[in-house]
Amino acid sequence: MGQEREEYIVEMRHITKRFPGIVANDDVTIQARQGEIYALLGENGAGKSTLMSMLYGMYEPDHGEIYIRGQKVNFRSASDAADANIGMVHQHFKLVENFTVAENITLGIEPMKKGLGIFPYVDLSEASRKIAEMSKSYGLEVDPKAVISDLGVSIRQRVEIMKMLYRQAEILIFDEPTAILTPQEVEYLLKSLEELRKGGKTVILITHKIEEIKKVADRCAILRRGKLIDVLDVRTTSTQEMANLMVGRTVALQTDKSEAKFGDPVLVVKDLSVRNEDKVQVVKDVSFTIRAGEVFAVAGVSGNGQVELADAIAGLVKTEKGSVTLLGKDITNDAIRDRVEEGITYIPEDRQKFGVFLDFNLRSNLALRRYYKEPFSHKGILNFDESQQYAERLIGEYDIRSGQGAKTSLRSMSGGNQQKAIVAREIEQHSPLIIFVQPTRGLDMGAIENIHKQILQERDRGAAILLISLELDEVMGLADTIGVIYNGQLLKIADAGTLSSQEIGRYMMGVTDNE
Amino acid sequence: MTYINSLITDGLAFALPLFIMAVGGIYSEKSGVTNLAVEGFQGFGAFIGALIATILSLKSGLGGQTIIYIAIAAAFVGGAVYAMLHALLCIYFDADQVISGVVINILGLALTTFLTSQINGVLFGNASNKFVLETSYRFSVPGLSSIPIIGAIFTKVYPFEILILVLGVFFWYLMYKTRYGMRLRACGENPQAVDAAGGNVYKIRFISVMISGGLSGIGGMCIAYSLLVQYSPNIYLGYGYLAIAAMIFGNWNIIPTFFVCIFFGLAKAGGNQLCLVMQLSSLYTNLFMIIPYVLTLVMMIFFSKRNHPPKAAGQPYDKGQR
């Protein structure tokens, strides 16, 4: 491998990049051939994004060289990289929301015309035609005249891809493109990646999801803690092997679950309906019961009311009708803090927005559920020694990795460790009901494994768990009972063992038994 | 009938300077720089314009109307140069844009008041705090001006009103039809997108804030000629803030803002006329002067919910942030 004198379209040789305190890339060499899908696999913080940021001109390497089509290059900015026909779809899209698709795609290279021979103006009619044509040939449906704010994430992503193609990019970098997509959308995206490969484009795919690599990639470079571990031929390597190499130890792809021991009902939801800000009914007459020691998982395509359902139970949104009963007590109209005291803890979907204070340190964030109580505060004065000790204990027990211990600000921690901190804080409440909304979104395998283990531990302790997840595998792996939500209604509630993933998939699309 | 006629004539003479200031505000905010400094820009621009006009009428043999045009051009330059301070603070030093705007306004008032009396001391040996300006020529369009009611639009028109309309069209075209305008609007929504597309966010914003200052300066100069017929600290009567209100009701779009300004102009002129009709003493004019501001408050209740200010306005752009 690598010994044949083959023409590589992208070569990054012996790249080293240091940031204060860490070596993000340590002597990494990768080589991609034209027309292949080259995957970069690694956990969060393994240095994948940094490596690609250098290829895209956003950083310059401390050591090492980059060759494009055999020519040495020195990119100083993203536009240098764009001039070398490199394009990148970032995790956070760079789109102007009140612009149309065509305006976004042509931004920076606006096609000009002259009115009356003297007045220059931007003319998008020609560009729109070209975009429509390109979107057909790559199977990426977009309407050039649609305004971005009206479009969903997967279509916005297509716009980002079209942006690269419009600029004649030949080397396309995707940074965790599937993290924000639903299973159906992931399928669609992976198909378009194959379509791009067919068109002779070189695709570099940054991801930590092995199944995706298995599905589309030709070769896969594995990074761990900034170092290149291996470059594998995807076809001849097993999923388990890749997982082990990525994490650096043997990982359990299947979670071991002990026999469920159900207790008394903890949460009883009856005929619950919720309207959102636009007065649309997003949860409709939902009823279910969760017993102690039970994981009740709600499966569904994103945006079908599952988040609002969880928010209503946690008290973040008002219910329109119906009742929520916790341990026999009606809490439908209770304030959030009362619900917490009565035994609900909540791990929110958007952890940075609702789960933590990014600019507070770890100690304060860990004490958030208790700071107002003895011994964390006494007569309204905070006792920092107590919260310090508490934080140190949780950091140890839950393996929260932070640069400066309890003093670390949450902003400087990785997503996985932020989530660990939230989970630690919530689990420590030892509440009878724990609500997890998308608990593993955007996390890497090691962290996911860890959180799954903790969810099951809490279940075995006798907590009732409400799990809202878009990942069908997660639902199938953890749930004792599965409820499938579609358009605000629970279409099906059944024991986990009695439903296949195909059946769940059908309910998720709104197909019911009688049809 | 004459009341209605002067309502329209006076209303337009006030509305158009207000409009060009509001366009200035739009240029800055659409590029992503919050602009509360319109008041300071218009005052400073008018100060420079009035200074040039005073010097020219003293030292040159130019005719009054020529001097007025030169003064308006000087006000544009003066406003634009003064706006560089706001641009510098907000764009390169990441200052809080609201505070910078307020500082610009206070500084403008203090600085121009001080300089006016100093310069008057040198020029005339009398440290007065105002520059007396010539009365602008006004014209009526023959024929059109004799149409009942509508004719008032074409009666006693200041030449600067025509100038402002032409500038309004030009700056609308610049914002919505050109490459610079498209990037400017993108800068106010998602500067990262502009950067990724190879545009220079800092430069685009800097130029936009300068345009903002220049247009505000023109507005201030026109008000000095029409309303005050002099340059004095009275120029800081709050019309800059009214222009900001017009911009907000116009939802940061030039054409709706134009109509809001016309409405404000008519409301203000209406207040004056009402005072005359009711034959109240001039003491009460001040009371009627609050009409545009009361309307502002009332309209705020109805409009503020539907408004969409530029998303990135108020946030300094940080290239490193991802």
Side-chain angles (χ1 to χ4, degrees), chain A residues 239-285:
Chain A
T239 310
Q240 184 70 47
E241 231 173 301
M242 283 195 250
N244 294 351
L245 280 171
M246 168 170 103
V247 183
R249 59 185 163 83
T250 312
V251 281
L253 289 180
Q254 298 288 295
T255 24
D256 296 323
K257 230 169 73 183
S258 56
E259 193 69 30
K261 287 190 260 332
F262 299 144
D264 295 331
V266 173
L267 179 77
V268 180
V269 174
K270 245 191 123 189
D271 301 331
L272 186 72
S273 295
V274 176
R275 279 182 197 274
N276 68 6
E277 287 164 8
D278 303 325
K279 305 275 172 258
V280 179
Q281 202 176 36
V282 284
V283 176
K284 294 170 196 157
D285 294 319

Side-chain angles (χ1 to χ4, degrees), chain B residues 85-275:
Chain B
L85 185 59
H86 186 56
L88 207 63
L89 287 171
C90 296
I91 299 167
Y92 290 103
F93 296 117
D94 296 352
D96 183 297
Q97 298 174 5
V98 170
I99 294 180
S100 168
V102 172
V103 166
I104 295 283
N105 292 342
I106 298 170
L107 181 71
L109 171 62
L111 201 62
T112 54
T113 308
F114 170 73
L115 288 176
T116 307
S117 51
Q118 291 299 305
I119 291 167
N120 270 322
V122 173
L123 289 178
F124 303 104
N126 158 21
S128 141
N129 70 348
K130 51 182 161 259
F131 293 125
V132 178
L133 298 172
E134 295 208 30
T135 321
S136 173
Y137 149 82
R138 302 172 83 164
F139 66 91
S140 299
V141 184
L144 287 177
S145 58
S146 39
I147 304 170
I149 303 185
I150 298 177
I153 299 172
F154 306 99
T155 311
K156 292 211 276 180
V157 180
Y158 286 102
F160 71 68
E161 294 180 47
I162 307 299
L163 177 71
I164 287 173
L165 284 176
V166 172
L167 287 175
V169 172
F170 174 78
F171 281 99
W172 173 84
Y173 179 86
L174 187 66
M175 177 165 285
Y176 290 100
K177 297 289 165 192
T178 67
R179 179 178 283 182
Y180 160 73
M182 192 163 148
R183 292 183 187 178
L184 176 150
R185 287 179 288 129
C187 276
E189 290 291 326
N190 187 350
Q192 271 85 10
V194 179
D195 204 10
N200 186 336
V201 178
Y202 302 107
K203 200 168 123 192
I204 293 168
R205 287 188 170 176
F206 204 93
I207 293 170
S208 307
V209 174
M210 283 184 72
I211 289 178
S212 176
L215 295 182
S216 303
I218 290 179
M221 195 70 240
C222 295
I223 283 184
Y225 272 113
S226 62
L227 230 59
L228 309 173
V229 204
Q230 62 181 22
Y231 174 84
S232 73
N234 269 342
I235 195 89
Y236 298 97
L237 255 180
Y239 298 135
Y241 295 112
L242 199 60
I244 293 171
M247 164 186 87
I248 294 171
F249 295 141
N251 213 355
W252 287 266
N253 286 323
I254 291 176
I255 292 168
T257 301
F258 175 77
F259 290 105
V260 175
C261 288
I262 297 288
F263 178 71
F264 277 167
L266 293 178
K268 181 176 167 357
N272 287 342
Q273 293 304 315
L274 206 61
C275 200

Side-chain angles (χ1 to χ4, degrees), chain A residues 148-217:
Chain A
I148 298 294
S149 55
D150 297 336
L151 304 176
V153 271
S154 71
I155 301 184
R156 289 183 194 203
Q157 191 174 50
R158 279 178 222 164
V159 178
E160 285 281 9
I161 300 172
M162 292 298 297
K163 224 159 118 179
M164 300 191 295
L165 296 175
Y166 188 83
R167 270 150 236 255
Q168 268 130 33
E170 291 297 325
I171 301 158
L172 313 175
I173 308 168
F174 290 82
D175 191 356
E176 302 274 3
T178 59
I180 40 160
L181 302 181
T182 61
Q184 285 82 354
E185 291 166 345
V186 171
E187 285 302 313
Y188 190 98
L189 175 72
L190 295 181
K191 265 201 209 96
S192 7
L193 293 187
E194 283 172 335
E195 211 53 48
L196 291 169
R197 173 172 56 192
K198 246 184 248 161
K201 311 278 186 193
T202 307
V203 174
I204 301 182
L205 176 66
I206 303 178
T207 186
H208 58 252
K209 291 188 180 154
I210 296 173
E211 321 91 77
E212 288 161 14
I213 293 181
K214 204 68 192 154
K215 267 187 203 146
V216 296

Side-chain angles (χ1 to χ4, degrees), chain A residues 94 128 153 201 236 248 295 359 365 377 402 445 460 495 501:
Chain A
K94 296 181 187 299
S128 300
V153 271
K201 311 278 186 193
T236 59
V295 176
D359 290 310
N365 272 293
S377 65
S402 56
M445 289 196 75
D460 294 340
D495 288 347
S501 59

Side-chain angles (χ1 to χ4, degrees), chain A residues 53 58-59 94-99 103 107-108 110 112 119-122, chain B residues 173 177-179 182-183 185-186 189-190 192-194 196-198 311 322:
Chain A
S53 297
M58 284 150 71
Y59 301 129
K94 296 181 187 299
L95 296 173
V96 181
E97 289 209 355
N98 60 354
F99 276 27
E103 284 174 321
L107 185 65
E110 303 86 350
M112 301 299 289
F119 299 113
Y121 68 97
V122 177
Chain B
Y173 179 86
K177 297 289 165 192
T178 67
R179 179 178 283 182
M182 192 163 148
R183 292 183 187 178
R185 287 179 288 129
E189 290 291 326
N190 187 350
Q192 271 85 10
V194 179
K311 264 217 187 90
R322 281 192 289 161

Side-chain angles (χ1 to χ4, degrees), chain B residues 40-114:
Chain B
F41 293 167
Q42 61 92 27
F44 196 90
F47 164 75
I48 296 293
L51 175 64
I52 300 289
T54 307
I55 292 172
L56 284 181
S57 65
L58 208 64
K59 310 273 179 191
S60 80
L62 291 172
Q65 202 55 36
T66 316
I67 290 178
I68 289 175
Y69 292 127
I70 296 174
I72 289 174
F76 180 85
V77 175
V81 170
Y82 188 52
M84 287 169 77
L85 185 59
H86 186 56
L88 207 63
L89 287 171
C90 296
I91 299 167
Y92 290 103
F93 296 117
D94 296 352
D96 183 297
Q97 298 174 5
V98 170
I99 294 180
S100 168
V102 172
V103 166
I104 295 283
N105 292 342
I106 298 170
L107 181 71
L109 171 62
L111 201 62
T112 54
T113 308
F114 170 73

